Amino acid sequence: MPYAIAVHGGAGLTRRDSITPEREAACRIVLEQAIEAGSAVLAAGGDALDACVAAVTVLEDSPLFNAGRGAVYAADGTIQMDSSVMHGADRTAGGVAAVRGIKNPVKAANLVRTHTEHVLLVGPYAEAFAAEHGLEICDASYFHTDDRWSQLQMAKELGRTALDHALDDAMDRMPGDGKGTVGAVALDLHGHVAAATSTGGMTNKLPGRVGDSPLIGSGTYANDATCAVSATGDGEKFIRGVVASRVANLVELAGLSLADAADRVVHQELPVLDGTGGLIAIDADGRIAMPFNSGGMYRGFRDTEQRTEIHIW
Ligand code: ASP
C-alpha cells in the first residue's frame, strides 16, 4: 500500500477577497512544503504520526497560519496554543493546551504521548515538561505578527470574540485572516494512519480558553480500523459535536464511506450547532476527504497515486 498525506491550514475564510493574491500564493507554497516534509518521512518508510508532526511543524513555523509562529492573540495580549496527536495503530494520544512559548506545540503533544502515562498537559506544567524534554522555548516576540495584533485590536473595538460570525466577516476583510489552525493526517507504508492538529485558538478568546484542537475525539482522532481526522473551525461547536471521532463512528457503526461520513458531519450535523469549519480525514486505504462548510479551507494532499493538489476555495 503506497503512502498518502493531507494537510490543512484552517477553515474560516468567508470571502475570496479576504486574502491578497500574494498571501494566497504564499500559503499555497507553505502547504506544499508541509506535504513534502510529511511525504519525505513516509517515502522513507517512516511512521504516519512522525509524518504528521513533520508536516505540522512546517505549518507552525510559518507566520501565515494560526499555530506556533503567527498564532492569534487572546484577550489579554498573550498567545496561548493548543495541540494534539493520535496514532491509529494503538490509539495512543497526546496533547497540550493553553501553552505559551513552546515553538512547536505539536512536538510537545507527541512527547506527552510517548513520554507520559497521560493524554493532556496544560499551561505552565506542559511548558515545563516541554522544556525538560529539550523542546525549543521562544519569547513572545517570536510569535508576534502585526496582522494578528491588528485582529486583536479590531476584535476588542467590536467588543466581540472571533467566535461570532459578524466579527469573522469583519476580520476577514483585515490583513491576513482570522483563523488558520493547522493539521495533518497520514497513511504510512505499514498501513497505519495518524492525525495531528495545532492552533492558537480564537482571537480575543478568554485567557485559559481551550478549544477542540487539543481534545482527542473533537479536534483530532485516529484509528486504523476507521480513519484519522484533524478538524478546524468554531472550537466550541466542534467539542459539542465531538466531530473527529464522530466521523470515525459513522464509518464504523453506520457503515458510511469516509466521504459520506465526513460530509454528513460537516454539512448536516455541524450546521445544527451553528458550527462553521471543516476537517481532513484519511483511511487505511488512503482515501481522503476534506469537506468544509466555510467559504474556504486551506488544504492539500498527496494521494496514493502520488498526485499532489493544493486548494483554498
Ligand atoms: N478550532 C480552533 C479552536 O477553536 C480554531 C480554528 O480551527 O481555527 O481553537
Side-chain angles (χ1 to χ4, degrees):
M1 169 60 67
Y3 70 82
I5 184 166
V7 301
H8 72 78
L13 293 160
T14 55
R15 304 145 50 104
R16 265 184 190 259
D17 62 0
S18 60
I19 51 171
T20 62
E22 293 75 26
R23 189 176 175 105
E24 179 172 332
C27 288
R28 285 176 180 272
I29 288 170
V30 179
L31 288 168
E32 191 154 358
Q33 289 169 343
I35 291 172
E36 289 298 339
S39 295
V41 174
L42 296 167
D47 179 76
L49 187 46
D50 289 340
C52 289
V53 171
V56 168
T57 297
V58 169
L59 297 166
E60 285 180 338
D61 287 347
S62 165
L64 293 171
F65 297 99
N66 172 18
R69 190 174 175 213
V72 299
Y73 281 96
D76 63 353
T78 62
I79 286 177
Q80 304 188 2
M81 300 170 286
D82 300 334
S83 180
S84 66
V85 301
M86 187 165 185
H87 205 301
D90 54 7
R91 282 182 284 164
T92 51
V96 292
V99 293
R100 300 172 58 183
I102 301 175
K103 185 180 180 210
N104 293 112
V106 72
K107 293 183 180 173
N110 200 28
L111 277 171
V112 171
R113 180 183 77 91
T114 55
H115 284 70
T116 77
E117 295 176 350
H118 311 303
V119 169
L120 186 58
L121 292 182
V122 302
Y125 305 102
E127 293 157 21
F129 169 80
E132 268 164 34
H133 286 79
L135 291 190
E136 200 170 336
I137 306 297
C138 299
D139 63 24
S141 64
Y142 169 79
F143 298 93
H144 172 84
T145 54
D146 291 341
D147 286 352
R148 299 302 188 201
W149 188 251
S150 307
Q151 285 165 358
L152 175 63
Q153 304 319 313
M154 176 174 267
K156 282 184 177 296
E157 273 165 35
L158 293 171
R160 310 279 286 276
T161 76
L163 297 169
D164 296 313
H165 291 308
L167 179 61
D168 285 351
D169 194 49
M171 291 181 64
D172 276 351
R173 275 179 256 120
M174 298 176 48
D177 60 86
K179 294 176 182 168
T181 289
V182 308
V185 295
L187 165 69
D188 66 27
L189 295 175
H190 315 287
H192 300 306
V193 296
T197 310
S198 184
T199 189
M202 294 289 191
T203 298
N204 204 28
K205 66 187 177 183
L206 281 178
R209 176 265 187 188
V210 171
D212 59 313
S213 305
L215 301 183
I216 298 304
S218 295
T220 304
Y221 188 74
N223 183 351
D224 282 357
T226 51
C227 57
V229 179
S230 172
T232 170
D234 300 327
E236 281 69 9
K237 316 291 169 53
F238 280 61
I239 294 170
R240 289 162 52 203
V242 205
V243 162
S245 61
R246 177 82 180 150
V247 175
N249 291 342
L250 287 170
V251 169
E252 182 180 353
L253 303 174
L256 298 190
S257 69
L258 182 67
D260 287 349
D263 275 350
R264 181 184 156 126
V265 171
V266 169
H267 294 298
Q268 292 179 36
E269 299 187 359
L270 267 172
V272 174
L273 296 172
D274 198 23
T276 302
L279 59 86
I280 58 173
I282 196 167
D283 69 15
D285 291 321
R287 283 183 283 256
I288 292 169
M290 318 183 94
F292 56 96
N293 63 24
S294 48
M297 180 170 82
Y298 298 99
R299 63 201 187 282
F301 65 80
R302 178 164 298 165
D303 66 15
T304 53
E305 286 162 18
Q306 304 300 286
R307 279 186 309 233
T308 302
E309 290 183 22
I310 310 285
H311 299 282
I312 299 177
W313 310 108

